[in-house]
């Protein structure tokens, strides 16, 4: 089976790296492939470059070495706007654009010349528990958790095939977190959306993933499941 998304020997230098030596790399030799819709938990200690990796996958940053292929085509010869529609990034800190909530939700349609899908928008708003909001409300006046969910809806309106989530529930209470998880798991099941989800919560990683990528010591290790990763770590600790 041909890969939908491929990561080949990706590397990123430290921002203040010298010209020689291993210390110049934030991470290097990152390699993975996705051949079918997946649910990937991306975990690891702070400072390993998880957010930077997601931004590179979305072409919001550029690797210093290596290549990315989407449906067999390198990012170097791809249309960056079309790439970002297919491989979409949701930041941990949601940025609201000037204007109302509805203005923000319509932004992706205006930017990409697509009709605004009001039906899908209303469905996502209800599923994420935001149907109490007046869409004419200034987006900047929303709470942090509301902004985070609005940002997610705005991205989902692109109908991406790969969704990159950078701690997408960090500002949410338990109830809202579970609504987001349920929605995204359903998108994976019904739409075939691949989820690559940075989380520091191993319990959440268990709930949302079927594969686990662990960033540590400048590299990427892959495990078939978060449960297997837990057992490996526990065995190492007690050995």
């Amino acid at each position: 089976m041909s890969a939908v998304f491929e990561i080949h020997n990706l590397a990123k230098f430290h921002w203040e790296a010298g010209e020689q030596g291993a210390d110049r790399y934030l991470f290097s030799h990152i390699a993975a492939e996705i051949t079918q819709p997946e649910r990937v938990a991306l975990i690891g200690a702070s400072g390993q470059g998880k957010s930077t990796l997601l931004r590179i996958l979305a072409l919001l940053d550029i690797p210093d070495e290596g290549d990315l292929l989407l449906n067999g085509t390198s990012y170097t010869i791809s249309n960056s706007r079309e790439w970002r529609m297919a491989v979409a990034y949701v930041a941990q800190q949601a940025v609201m654009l000037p204007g109302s909530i509805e203005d923000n939700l319509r932004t992706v349609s205006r930017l990409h010349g697509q009709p605004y899908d009001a039906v899908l928008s209303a469905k996502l708003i209800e599923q994420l528990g935001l149907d109490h909001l007046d869409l004419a409300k200034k987006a900047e006046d929303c709470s942090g958790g509301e902004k985070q969910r609005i940002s997610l809806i705005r991205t989902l309106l692109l109908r991406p095939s790969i969704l990159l989530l950078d701690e997408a529930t960090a500002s949410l209470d338990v109830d809202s977190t579970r609504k987001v998880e349920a929605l995204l798991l359903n998108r994976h099941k019904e739409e075939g959306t691949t989820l690559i989800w940075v989380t520091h919560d191993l319990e959440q990683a268990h709930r949302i993933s079927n594969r686990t990528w662990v960033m540590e010591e400048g590299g990427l290790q892959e495990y078939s499941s978060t449960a297997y990763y837990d057992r490996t770590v526990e065995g190492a600790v007690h050995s």
Side-chain angles (χ1 to χ4, degrees), residues 90-210:
V90 180
Q92 180 180 353
Q93 299 296 327
V95 176
M96 293 291 100
L97 302 171
S100 68
I101 295 171
E102 186 171 13
D103 290 334
N104 272 262
L105 296 178
R106 288 181 176 272
T107 294
V108 291
S109 300
R110 292 197 298 268
L111 288 177
H112 296 290
Q114 295 180 330
Y116 175 63
D117 192 338
V119 173
L120 176 59
S121 180
K123 179 180 178 181
L124 296 174
I125 287 169
E126 181 179 4
Q127 289 176 322
L128 291 185
L130 295 175
D131 44 333
H132 64 283
L133 290 177
D134 181 352
L135 295 185
K137 179 180 179 177
K138 285 186 178 180
E140 278 299 323
D141 292 339
C142 293
S143 69
E146 289 168 347
K147 289 177 181 178
Q148 199 163 32
R149 283 173 284 170
I150 292 166
S151 176
L152 175 59
I153 293 169
R154 188 171 60 192
T155 303
L156 287 173
L157 289 171
L158 290 171
R159 294 184 180 273
S161 57
I162 299 174
L163 186 61
L164 310 172
L165 302 148
D166 194 354
E167 298 192 61
T169 59
S171 299
L172 304 183
D173 60 25
V174 173
D175 182 62
S176 296
T177 293
R178 293 303 175 91
K179 282 185 170 69
V180 168
E181 291 175 358
L183 170 64
L184 293 178
L185 290 174
N186 186 64
R187 300 295 292 181
H188 166 76
K189 180 180 179 181
E190 299 295 331
E191 302 287 333
T193 306
T194 286
L195 310 175
I196 303 178
W197 194 324
V198 170
T199 179
H200 287 282
D201 182 346
L202 283 181
E203 291 186 3
Q204 181 177 66
H206 280 295
R207 292 194 299 269
I208 56 90
S209 70
N210 64 299

